[in-house]
Structure formats: C-alpha cells, structure tokens
Amino acid sequence: MINHDLVIVGGGPAGLAAAIGAYESGIKDILIIEREEHLGGILNQCIHNGFGLHTFKEELTGPEYASRYINKVLEYKIPYKLNTTVIDLNGDKVITALNESDGLLLIQAKAIVLACGCRERPRGAINIAGSRCSGIYSAGTAQKLVNIDGLKVGKEVVILGSGDIGLIMARRMTFEGAKVKAVVELMSYSSGLNRNIVQCLNDFDIPLYFSHTVIEIKGKDRLEKVKIAKVDEHLNPILDTAFEIECDTLLLSVGLLPENELARNYDVNLSKTTNGAIVNENMMTSKEGIFECGNVLHVHDLVDYVSEESYLAGKMAAKYLNGELNLKSKVLTVNPTNGIRYTVPQLINIDDNYSPIQFKMRVSNVFKNVEIRLLVDDEVIFKKYKQIVTPGEMETLNIKEDLVKKIKQGSKIEITLFRRS
C-alpha cells in the first residue's frame, strides 16, 4: 500500500492545475495519475491556436498551453505516474490502479481530486441507420489520427454536430486538402463558440445546416454517401426533406460524456444535467475529501476556465487536508430557472468564509437582450446584462465577498434569465 496526502486522477489541464493549486497552498505529498504516455491530456493533439487568452493574455496552441503547466509541475517536482489506469476507488479513499511496470497498485489517499476529463459520444449512442462501413470517426479520433499520427482520414467529408471540435476539424480537414461538404447540426443553434463558426466554417465557405441530421449511412466497404433530413420542432426527421451527399468520411461531433465511472462507483451524487458531480463552492463532492474539476465536472468551452476551476479545486483540497474547511456547515441549493440549464457550484456552504464565488452556467437556448440575475430570498442582489447568450458559450457570475456574505445569510438562491423587452 502506497500512502499520499493528495492523489489527482488525470494529468490533463485540470489535473495539472489542481496539483499546482495544492502545492502552492502548502501540500507537498501529491501524486498525479495519468493513463496516457504523456502529461497534458487532450491538449497534446490540439495543435490549433486560441488557448491561453484569459490565463496568459496571449494566443497559444494546445501543446504550448499544456507545457506551461507541465513545466510548473516539473519545477515543483510533483511526482506522477504515466500509462497508469485507475480501475477502482473505494470508500476508504483507496485507489486501485494498474500499469505495466508496477502491476497492481493500492494507493491510500487522504484527499482525492477527480480530473478525469470526458470522452466523445459514439455512433452507437445516436442510432444512425445504415451500414457499418469504414470512414466513420469521432471528431476527436480523427484529430488524433491527423495531428499526432500524421494520417489522412478522408477526401470528402461530412461532419455531424457543430460542437467546437467538429468546427475545428472542419478547418483542419480543409487544411489537409479534403473537401468538407457540410456541417450538419440537429439543433437550431450551434453548440460551439461563435468565433469557431466564423473562423472554421464561414472563412472557408463550408455550409452549416441547422435543424438537420444524418438519417442514414450508405456504403459497402467504405462510406459512399449519407442521407440528411430536416427535423421538426420535436427533433424528428421530416423524411420528404431528405437529400444525399456523396462522401467517404463522416466525423461525429455529437457531444461529450464526463468520465465519472469512479465517482459513480464511489456513490458520489451526480447531476442529471451535467453528468458530473454535484459540488459546493469548494469543489467538494457529496463525499468528504473527494473533489472534482474540469470536464469531468461539466464540459467547458475554454481550457482557461478549466485551469482556473481546477486550481481552485487543488487549493480547496489543501484546505481540507489542513483542517480549514467547515465540514458540518448547512448547505443551500442553487436553483437554475427560466432558461439557465445548470450552475456550478450547485451547493453553497453556510459558514463564515466569505471568499469570492464564481458561478459557471449554461443556458438552454439562444436568448437575446437578457439579464442573468442572482436572487437571494427573491431579492435581486446581482445582475449581468448580455446582448446574447447561447448554449455553446459558458456564462459566469463573479460574486464578491460582500454579496457572498449576503448569499450565505439567505434561505433560497436562484439564478435566472430575465428577458428585457
């Protein structure tokens, strides 16, 4: 049995930032566990720029952004294990992990940060009819094949889903000499950042079909064509609108699933909306000493926000280990209403800690000319005007100490959208 004060599961941007946050808060006995052969996570295959504008005030590629945190971990000499998979987490904070060199590992932790990231939703989860021919990839898999392995995945491409990775791969495939014939989106709006629609589709004259979906895949050995149809207000295909596009490649960008198997096995309370853990403002889950952050908690649009949130999780894990958190405090539930799909955190401790709180949230649709309002006992204590809010862009409310004190003296918290006339 190996003993550590803090174990961080995941060596991507979330895990690295959490480790640095804990170390800079005084915790030195830390272990990072990463299942891949390098630290950095998904950023290693994201060779496009656009990272770091918030954190470093400059535009970086994914590997450049990751290297800033990896170098800090190396500077602090925080130990890590690569090519190591965590297969279990039990109620005594004992982690079971496996790798080729050590075999089976049992690691006793005093606190754990889950920074496991997320995975792509596969074809099987969306039930597209048709043959099981080659040429169908998740967008992230195609990205790895092109950017890491140097392979060409196709010549004529259709992309299903307008999430950020799908939009970015439309541009990347174009750079590789492929013809991207269409991006098809089930919803009436994009789930990606608006800047990616402009830079990855509009700049290359790639058509984007809203309220459409792929209803059939055709091909014997290799994909030959896809059938696309418009959908109605209930998202059901309107068959008489169907048309076919010839292509040899279909990329799926149809959502991300937080990798919460460990949390689920540990009976951590999970949100039905985000599929991540329900956490308080200290990033602690329903299980004492278990923290969660990054895309395993909720899917972020910017890695800068992942790093910020995860640094906080590491800092709070350090406070827990130092006995500085009030674990017996009563909690208030944050209620998202009227167009707010969810908030993180979902719970607020009522104690004497009036540090700033940042609420992160996503909306359920595209809304224009609105205020995001924070209400305590039906009184508006904070509001933020937005010309437009979309599901693809995460919104934040930064609440300062004086208003945090007011929140914690209340009995009901609500975050809502108010539509201006």
Side-chain angles (χ1 to χ4, degrees):
M1 181 82 73
I2 304 170
N3 294 282
H4 288 283
D5 287 345
L6 177 62
V7 175
I8 297 171
V9 182
L16 295 171
I20 293 166
Y23 187 93
E24 292 181 350
S25 299
I27 301 302
K28 309 305 181 188
D29 184 13
I30 303 170
L31 176 66
I32 302 170
I33 301 177
E34 169 56 44
R35 67 185 176 191
E36 300 294 337
E37 60 181 330
H38 301 288
L39 294 174
I42 196 69
L43 290 177
N44 291 325
Q45 68 185 54
C46 299
I47 64 173
H48 54 279
N49 59 11
F51 302 94
L53 290 170
H54 293 267
T55 305
F56 299 110
K57 310 304 179 188
E58 58 182 305
E59 201 169 25
L60 304 172
T61 66
E64 287 172 333
Y65 185 96
S67 70
R68 301 285 177 97
Y69 287 87
I70 293 170
N71 290 340
K72 186 66 70 171
V73 166
L74 296 177
E75 176 189 335
Y76 290 158
K77 298 181 180 179
I78 299 172
Y80 54 88
K81 286 185 176 294
L82 302 176
N83 296 306
T84 303
T85 300
V86 175
I87 59 176
D88 190 34
L89 169 61
N90 73 22
D92 295 322
K93 299 189 184 72
V94 175
I95 292 170
T96 304
L98 190 68
N99 66 33
E100 192 173 273
S101 58
D102 298 311
L104 193 67
L105 290 164
L106 293 178
I107 305 167
Q108 176 70 67
K110 295 179 182 177
I112 296 170
V113 175
L114 297 175
C116 313
C118 56
R119 63 178 180 270
E120 293 179 280
R121 194 184 301 274
R123 174 185 175 180
I126 55 176
N127 297 320
I128 303 176
S131 64
R132 297 180 64 84
C133 51
S134 65
I136 302 168
Y137 307 87
S138 68
T141 298
Q143 185 183 60
K144 181 179 184 296
L145 291 172
V146 173
N147 292 347
I148 301 294
D149 300 328
L151 300 175
K152 189 169 186 176
V153 298
K155 297 178 181 178
E156 295 183 314
V157 182
V158 171
I159 298 174
L160 177 59
S162 63
D164 287 313
I165 187 171
L167 298 173
I168 288 165
M169 282 307 294
R171 179 179 61 186
R172 188 73 183 94
M173 295 297 289
T174 302
F175 287 163
E176 287 295 306
K179 172 66 175 177
V180 180
K181 292 192 166 182
V183 174
V184 182
E185 172 55 56
L186 177 69
M187 306 304 290
S188 60
Y189 53 82
S190 173
S191 59
L193 294 170
N194 186 62
R195 76 182 190 198
N196 285 332
I197 295 176
V198 173
Q199 295 173 1
C200 301
L201 299 189
N202 297 352
D203 287 356
F204 299 94
D205 297 321
I206 298 171
L208 172 58
Y209 293 90
F210 285 123
S211 299
H212 283 73
T213 192
V214 174
I215 60 172
E216 189 176 356
I217 292 168
K218 296 185 176 183
K220 185 178 180 182
D221 297 319
R222 177 81 186 196
L223 178 65
E224 298 171 7
K225 61 182 69 174
V226 294
K227 182 181 283 189
I228 294 167
K230 192 173 183 179
V231 298
D232 61 22
E233 64 272 18
H234 302 295
L235 305 182
N236 296 314
I238 305 171
L239 296 182
D240 59 7
T241 67
F243 60 96
E244 293 182 343
I245 298 180
E246 292 186 358
C247 58
D248 61 18
T249 304
L250 175 65
L251 302 188
L252 302 177
S253 177
V254 291
L256 299 170
L257 302 172
E259 298 239 36
N260 260 310
E261 285 73 18
L262 292 175
R264 190 174 290 110
N265 291 344
Y266 196 52
D267 291 328
V268 169
N269 292 340
L270 301 180
S271 164
K272 293 180 180 179
T273 304
T274 65
N275 293 316
I278 294 172
V279 297
N280 61 28
E281 76 271 29
N282 298 320
M283 311 309 295
M284 189 186 290
T285 70
S286 59
K287 297 296 184 179
E288 181 184 320
I290 306 295
F291 299 78
E292 195 165 279
C293 58
N295 282 349
V296 73
L297 179 62
H298 60 128
V299 177
H300 294 63
D301 48 1
L302 298 177
V303 72
D304 303 69
Y305 294 155
V306 168
S307 301
E308 181 181 40
E309 176 181 281
S310 303
Y311 183 90
L312 174 64
K315 183 178 175 180
M316 292 301 108
K319 284 195 171 187
Y320 167 77
L321 289 168
N322 290 328
E324 298 173 13
L325 296 184
N326 186 350
L327 302 177
K328 297 181 180 179
S329 173
K330 293 182 180 179
V331 297
L332 290 175
T333 299
V334 182
N335 298 302
T337 63
N338 196 33
I340 303 292
R341 283 187 63 234
Y342 73 84
T343 69
V344 171
Q346 297 95 339
L347 303 174
I348 301 296
N349 279 326
I350 305 172
D351 56 25
D352 58 357
N353 182 356
Y354 301 131
S355 298
I357 295 177
Q358 182 181 76
F359 289 101
K360 298 184 178 72
M361 66 207 71
R362 287 188 189 268
V363 296
S364 59
N365 210 322
V366 177
F367 300 104
K368 296 181 179 180
N369 198 31
V370 296
E371 290 176 355
I372 304 173
R373 291 183 168 184
L374 172 63
L375 293 83
V376 175
D377 297 335
D378 298 321
E379 175 192 353
V380 178
I381 68 165
F382 186 86
K383 59 186 178 182
K384 180 179 181 180
Y385 172 71
K386 298 283 292 187
Q387 285 186 323
I388 185 170
V389 290
T390 70
E393 302 203 22
M394 195 164 63
E395 301 294 335
T396 60
L397 294 181
N398 294 304
I399 310 301
K400 295 182 179 180
E401 290 91 334
D402 56 335
L403 292 182
V404 172
K405 182 176 182 180
K406 194 166 187 176
I407 290 172
K408 295 189 176 188
Q409 291 172 343
S411 59
K412 185 174 70 171
I413 310 172
E414 181 181 353
I415 297 181
T416 188
L417 279 185
F418 173 79
R419 287 137 181 146
R420 289 185 176 182
S421 57

